[in-house]
Amino acid sequence: MTRLERVRAETNAGWRSFVRRRTAVFFTFFFPVILIVIFGALVQTDPTGGGLFAEPAAYYVPGYLAVVVLFTPLSRMGSEVARHREGNRFEKLATTPLTRGEWLLSQTLVNAAIIGLASVLILVLVIVLTGADVVLSPLLVPYVLVGVVCFCGVGAMLGSYTDSQDGAVAASNAIGLPLLFLSETFVPLEQLPGWFGPFVELSPLTYFARGVRAATYPEANAPAVAGVDPALANLGVLAVIAVVAFALGARSIPRTD
C-alpha cells in the first residue's frame, strides 16, 4: 500500500470507530450547543454594561469555536493514544507499514472532519440564537484545520505520557479549561491583571482566537502584526506552533518496532 492508501484506510477505520460510539458523538456536539444556549441566548451580552459578557455577541464567536477546536482533540487524542497503549495496539500496528506519523495524521483527519461539522453547527446557532453579525470568512477553514492539527499533537503527547485513559482525560481538562478562558476567547485581555499578559502570549489558542476574531468580527479593529493583516499573521504563528506540536506528538507515540 502507498502512504496515501495507508492513511486513507486508517482514517476510514477511525471515523467508523467514532460513529459507533454514540455517547461520544452526542457530547461532541451537545457541549458547545449548551454553552451557546446558556451564555449566548440566556445570559446574553451587554455591550453597554460591564462584566464578562460586555462585548457584542460576534466577539465571542472564537470562544465558542475554541470549545471544539481545543477540547475535542485534547480529550479524543489523549484517550485514544492511552487506549492504544493499554490494549497493546501500538504493538499490533508495528507489524504493519503504518508509521506513527501516519497514524497520528489519520486520527487528525478524523478529528478535523468531526470538528468541521461541529463548527458549522456552532456558527449557525450563534447567528440564529444570538443574532451575531458574523463575517463568514474563508479563513475560518484553515484556522479550524490548523487548530485541530495543533491540539491533536498536544493530545497525543498527553496520551503518551499519562498513565491511563482517565489520566489523559483529566490532564486534557486541566489544561483545556484554563486555556479556554485565558486565551482572549471569552475574557478580554484588559480584564486580566497586567502581569498575566505575557502568559496569554504563550497559549496557541490565543492566536486562534485573535485570528478568528479579526476574520469574523472586523469591528474589533485588531492591530496589524508587523504590517501584516492580523487574520493572516495569527494564522501563520498558529501554523508554526501546529507543525511543532504535531511533530512532538508523533515522536511521543510509543515506539514498538
Side-chain angles (χ1 to χ4, degrees):
M1 297 178 67
T2 65
R3 173 169 295 177
L4 178 60
E5 290 172 333
R6 293 195 299 270
V7 171
R8 183 172 58 189
E10 183 64 24
T11 302
N12 290 336
W15 175 260
R16 290 195 298 270
S17 175
F18 170 73
V19 173
R20 284 197 296 266
R21 301 173 191 169
R22 296 180 181 179
T23 302
V25 174
F26 177 77
F27 281 103
T28 296
F29 295 94
F30 179 74
F31 183 54
V33 169
I34 283 295
L35 283 182
I36 295 172
V37 171
I38 292 175
F39 295 126
L42 297 180
V43 176
Q44 300 185 351
T45 59
D46 183 14
T48 61
L52 181 58
F53 290 94
E55 302 290 341
Y59 179 91
Y60 300 102
V61 168
Y64 295 129
L65 291 177
V67 174
V68 289
V69 171
L70 173 66
F71 276 102
T72 301
L74 287 185
S75 60
R76 287 199 74 252
M77 280 307 308
S79 60
E80 192 74 8
V81 172
R83 186 165 63 90
H84 273 60
R85 287 173 51 212
E86 293 174 0
N88 297 320
R89 298 190 180 189
F90 286 120
E91 282 78 1
K92 297 175 183 178
L93 285 176
T95 63
T96 72
L98 193 71
T99 65
R100 296 180 295 172
E102 292 170 352
W103 181 86
L104 181 57
L105 175 59
S106 302
Q107 299 300 322
T108 301
L109 291 174
V110 174
N111 278 276
I114 296 167
I115 294 165
L117 293 173
S119 297
V120 171
L121 176 62
I122 288 170
L123 287 173
V124 171
L125 287 175
V126 168
I127 294 172
V128 172
L129 296 179
T130 69
D133 186 13
V134 178
V135 177
L136 297 178
S137 169
L139 284 176
L140 281 173
V141 175
Y143 262 108
V144 170
L145 291 177
V146 174
V148 171
V149 172
C150 177
F151 293 111
C152 276
V154 177
M157 286 186 275
L158 293 179
S160 298
Y161 299 127
T162 51
D163 57 359
S164 65
Q165 291 186 61
D166 292 340
V169 173
S172 68
N173 290 334
I175 293 174
L177 279 174
L179 288 182
L180 179 62
F181 291 99
L182 300 177
S183 301
E184 291 194 46
T185 48
F186 293 106
V187 183
L189 186 60
E190 55 268 21
Q191 291 188 4
L192 297 173
W195 60 265
F196 195 77
F199 294 97
V200 174
E201 303 291 334
L202 298 176
S203 169
L205 196 63
T206 297
Y207 303 99
F208 174 87
R210 288 174 178 172
V212 170
R213 185 170 294 117
T216 61
Y217 182 50
E219 289 82 355
N221 296 320
V225 180
V228 181
D229 181 87
L232 295 175
N234 284 288
L235 180 60
V237 174
L238 183 62
V240 172
I241 298 174
V243 170
V244 174
F246 186 89
L248 293 176
R251 183 179 178 83
S252 69
I253 293 174
R255 179 182 293 276
T256 56
D257 51 358

